[in-house]
Amino acid sequence: LLIKIAGIVDKYASFVGVVGHNKLDKFQIESKDELLDMVRQARGIDNGDKRAIEAQMKMAETKVKNLMVAATEVDYISYDELLGPLVLHDLHKTGHRWFPVVRNDLDSTLGFLDSRDVLTIDSKRSVKAQTAMQHETVRVKPSDNLNVALDTCLKAGSWIALVVDGDEVVGLIGLPAILNHLRGKQA
């Protein structure tokens, strides 16, 4: 897009007679690294925009393992847990939106519980986590790039994916983390 705009400016400059402005005809970018270097050095582009451009250009190089939440840091809930006021309070205190619903541990994840969905549960009757969960589980590998993770989540309509190495769940990655990365922001 920037090169297209520069071409329009160059044609206008030639039309109005600005001498020596026709440098774009000879200008070629030889590599992605050269383009990234140009973006980093560009004046007039906000630093946040520079980070976003760089992050977007590196989506294919950035691995899921670099952005995932490690399994040891994941809060989960048992499938037979009753979602009464105390459990709901404890879930809310974590500050997380999504919780894996497991049979025994993360390796036996059955689905995900969206904390926003449980807000509508009638407080007078408890429901088990397995009843309230979303059954779709999306899986990506730690070695997959962010393009694969984003495509996988979008195709499945899932906000979150299990990061699986063989049969072992090693973490989670969510669309908000990927989108924040694309915007050049920290997750």
Side-chain angles (χ1 to χ4, degrees), residues 45-169:
I45 299 177
D46 176 80
N47 285 336
D49 290 340
K50 288 179 183 181
R51 285 190 304 271
I53 291 167
E54 184 171 353
Q56 290 170 26
M57 290 180 67
K58 291 187 171 187
M59 282 284 286
E61 298 167 19
T62 305
K63 303 296 180 194
V64 166
K65 66 182 173 187
N66 298 347
L67 220 57
M68 73 179 195
V69 175
T72 56
E73 298 177 27
V74 173
D75 294 311
Y76 56 85
I77 186 166
S78 176
Y79 76 103
D80 59 355
E81 184 80 45
L82 289 174
L83 299 177
L86 293 177
V87 171
L88 295 177
H89 176 72
D90 288 344
L91 293 177
H92 178 71
K93 280 192 329 186
T94 68
H96 301 301
R97 177 175 171 192
W98 295 95
F99 299 91
V101 177
V102 304
R103 186 169 303 282
N104 300 313
D105 56 20
L106 279 177
D107 295 335
S108 62
T109 299
L110 303 170
F112 289 97
L113 182 67
D114 182 346
S115 62
R116 293 186 317 177
D117 288 345
V118 297
L119 294 176
T120 61
I121 293 175
D122 183 0
S123 62
K124 291 182 176 66
R125 62 179 188 90
S126 294
V127 174
K128 288 189 177 184
Q130 185 174 18
T131 304
M133 74 178 188
Q134 297 178 9
H135 295 273
E136 182 74 32
T137 57
V138 177
R139 298 170 186 267
V140 294
K141 298 178 206 150
S143 60
D144 286 340
N145 65 42
L146 293 184
N147 285 329
V148 170
L150 181 60
D151 288 345
T152 301
C153 286
L154 291 176
K155 285 178 184 172
S158 178
W159 280 86
I160 195 161
L162 294 169
V163 182
V164 180
D165 190 6
D167 291 334
E168 181 184 3
V169 175

Side-chain angles (χ1 to χ4, degrees), residues 165-181:
D165 190 6
D167 291 334
E168 181 184 3
V169 175
V170 294
L172 298 177
I173 189 164
L175 274 180
I178 297 169
L179 296 176
N180 279 335
H181 177 79

Side-chain angles (χ1 to χ4, degrees), residues 7-19 21-22:
I8 294 168
V9 169
D10 185 56
K11 286 179 185 174
Y12 177 75
S14 295
F15 177 73
V16 296
V18 176
V19 179
H21 193 276
N22 203 3

Side-chain angles (χ1 to χ4, degrees), residues 14 38 40:
S14 295
M38 287 178 57
R40 288 180 193 124

